């Protein structure tokens, strides 16, 4: 890290409205510095241009701040923060700096730093933050990922809604299928077997009634009557029906069931022994009085055992049906709870994503719109907004870069206007002096011309007189004539020289008049240029009403 020394404890105050501007190449070498930056820093232009921008770095600034700045700049984004800079004499000054990339043809060719006066409250916060950074390093600030934008949000939202619809449809259809399967199992595994058991119990009751009728028929005539024989055949038919019902019951109910095995044994024993007893009863002698009662008791006992086994199986089927019904209700409740949880989770996710979308995209987008409206109204001093993510962040970054470039352009226009105004004032003063001096010279030349014209007139008269005297002298005396002739010749030469001098003086006077006219034209052009400079300053004052001073003043330091 570059550590510029010496340093003092003297702070340099920056007047409100002053903008410090500098431009660098990709390596941070200064290529441009405006007058305000030169005045505040205390360096001359030659000491800044061609040197690294860290020439004004103050030792109190943590290196991590500049590492973060270069990281942001290399990603193509603007950087904004408070910076403590060092003057040439060791004094310091705080600035609110915004560094933006300079791009041409989609390529970054350098960087531009636009700095203004930092507010005292912001300086206090920055000092506390920089002390913390010096001790603990750069904090990890949580922010939304850069890929989260409008396009991603639309795609993710569409996919999320589609997944929710598919999940809801699958959950509903799956629940219906499970319910259908449960009802089908209940019908085939509990309801149908229960019907079969009931039919078996009915057949058992019918067999018991038929056997009683056989007993009554035997007691009536002392032998097996034709009616008794029919009942015996009917009993055999009932036994066949029980066998068919039992076969159907075995297909519906698992044979490994204890109740099924008990009923199977009871029915087998019942049918086998019943058929044997009936056959024995049919062949018994007609005078036997104890056999019918014993047969009846045995048959009732067998029927009772079979009925108990059937009731046990029916109760087992009822219990299984109840269990299946309970499990179905519980499964439906779980599905319902899962659906409720899914709906609540979906609503929470939608609410959270909506909050993030509003926070990261909508609010920064509205702020960007407000900033662009301020720029459109001519206010370039608004706060810099680098928030947002995705397309909104790009829009805010572009608006910030545009705002800084406009501020620098207006600063350069104001600087040029002030220079033009100062130069025009100097030129007007010089032209005024030239005009006054030309007027004095013009008067002096015309006075000399009038004097010279009088002398020429007198010389012409003298030459005429000399010629007359020469004519007279030539008649009187030759020597006097020669002298007079020389005098006349000299007088004529003097007259010619005076005329030439007068012509030259007239030409000089004409040039003086011409130069005076040109000077007056130049003065008028300078006045028009000064008027243009005033208009430029008024235009700049419209966009930045507090940034620039009067046209004939220099930037405050």
């Amino acid at each position: 890290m570059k550590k510029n020394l010496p340093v003092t404890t003297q702070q340099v105050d920056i007047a409100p409205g002053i903008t410090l501007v500098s431009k660098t190449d990709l390596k941070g070498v200064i290529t441009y510095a405006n007058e305000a930056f030169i005045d505040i820093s205390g360096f001359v232009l030659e000491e800044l241009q061609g040197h690294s921008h860290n020439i004004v770095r103050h030792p109190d600034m943590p290196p991590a701040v500049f590492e973060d700045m270069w990281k942001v700049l290399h990603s193509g984004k603007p950087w904004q923060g408070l910076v403590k800079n060092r003057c040439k004499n060791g004094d310091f000054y705080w600035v609110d700096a915004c560094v933006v990339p300079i791009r041409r043809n989609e390529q970054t060719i350098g960087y531009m730093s636009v700095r203004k006066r930092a507010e005292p409250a912001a300086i206090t916060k920055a000092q506390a933050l920089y002390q913390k950074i010096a001790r603990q390093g750069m904090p990890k600030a949580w922010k939304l990922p850069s890929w989260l934008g409008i396009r991603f949000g639309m795609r993710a939202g569409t996919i999320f809604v589609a997944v929710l619809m598919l999940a809801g449809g699958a959950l509903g259809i799956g629940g219906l299928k499970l319910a259908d399967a449960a009802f089908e199992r209940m019908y085939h595994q509990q309801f149908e077997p229960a019907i079969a058991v009931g039919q078996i119990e009915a057949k058992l009751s019918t067999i018991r009634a038929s056997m009683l009728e056989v007993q009554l028929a035997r007691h009536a005539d002392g032998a097996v009557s034709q009616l008794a024989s029919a009942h015996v055949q009917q009993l055999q038919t009932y036994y066949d029906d029980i066998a068919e019902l039992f076969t159907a019951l075995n297909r519906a109910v698992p044979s490994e069931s204890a109740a099924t095995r008990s009923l199977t044994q009871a029915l087998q024993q019942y049918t086998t022994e019943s058929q044997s007893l009936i056959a024995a009863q049919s062949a018994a002698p007609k005078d036997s009085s104890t056999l019918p009662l014993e047969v009846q008791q045995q048959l009732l006992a067998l029927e009772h055992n079979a009925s108990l086994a059937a009731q046990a199986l029916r109760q087992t089927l009822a219990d299984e049906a109840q269990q299946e019904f309970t499990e179905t209700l519980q499964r439906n409740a779980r599905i319902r709870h899962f659906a409720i949880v899914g709906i609540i989770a979906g609503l929470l996710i939608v609410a959270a994503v909506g909050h993030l979308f509003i926070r990261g995209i909508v609010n920064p987008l509205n702020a960007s719109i407000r900033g662009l409206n301020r720029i459109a109204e001519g206010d370039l001093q608004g706060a810099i907004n680098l928030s947002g993510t995705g397309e909104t962040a790009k829009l805010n970054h572009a608006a910030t870069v545009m705002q800084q470039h406009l501020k620098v352009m207006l600063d350069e226009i104001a600087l040029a206007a002030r220079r033009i105004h100062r130069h025009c004032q100097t030129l007007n003063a010089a032209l005024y002096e030239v005009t006054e001096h030309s007027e004095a010279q013009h008067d002096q030349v015309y006075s000399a011309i009038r004097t010279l014209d009088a002398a020429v007139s007198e010389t012409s008269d003298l030459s005429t007189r000399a010629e007359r005297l020469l004519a007279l002298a030539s008649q009187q005396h030759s020597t006097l004539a020669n002298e007079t002739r020389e005098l006349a010749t000299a007088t004529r030469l003097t007259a010619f020289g005076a005329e030439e001098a007068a012509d030259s003086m007239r030409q000089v006077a004409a040039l003086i008049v011409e130069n005076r006219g040109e000077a007056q034209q130049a003065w008028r052009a300078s006045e028009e240029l000064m008027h243009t400079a005033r208009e430029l300053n008024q235009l700049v004052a419209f966009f930045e009403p507090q940034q620039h001073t009067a046209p004939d003043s220099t930037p405050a330091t």
Side-chain angles (χ1 to χ4, degrees), residues 395-443:
L395 179 60
N396 280 331
H397 295 165
T400 299
V401 172
M402 180 182 67
Q403 179 180 351
Q404 301 308 312
H405 277 285
L406 287 175
K407 289 175 65 175
V408 172
M409 181 178 66
L410 290 175
D411 182 77
E412 293 176 349
I413 291 174
L415 175 61
R418 292 194 297 271
R419 287 177 177 175
I420 291 173
H421 196 278
R422 290 197 299 267
H423 292 325
C424 287
Q425 285 182 326
T426 304
L427 179 60
N428 285 348
L431 289 174
Y432 179 78
E433 292 179 359
V434 169
T435 303
E436 291 294 326
H437 186 64
S438 298
E439 290 289 343
Q441 286 182 341
H442 183 270
D443 294 339

Side-chain angles (χ1 to χ4, degrees), residues 40 69 74 91 123 135 147 197 259 291 301 322 333 359 375 389 406 421 433 439 442 470 496 498 518:
I40 294 294
M69 179 190 71
H74 287 160
D91 297 343
I123 293 176
R135 294 192 306 268
W147 46 261
V197 171
L291 183 59
Q322 180 65 33
R359 174 187 172 187
I375 293 175
T389 181
L406 287 175
H421 196 278
E433 292 179 359
E439 290 289 343
H442 183 270
L470 176 60
F496 293 154
E518 293 177 354

Side-chain angles (χ1 to χ4, degrees), residues 153 155 218 221 235 242 295 363 384 504 524:
R155 291 178 177 175
R218 181 174 178 83
D221 53 7
L235 287 176
I242 289 176
V295 170
N363 290 340
I384 296 172
S504 299
R524 286 193 294 269

Side-chain angles (χ1 to χ4, degrees), residues 120-133:
I123 293 176
T124 302
K125 292 181 180 180
Q127 287 176 331
L129 176 62
Y130 291 162
Q131 290 176 1
K132 183 178 179 180
I133 291 175

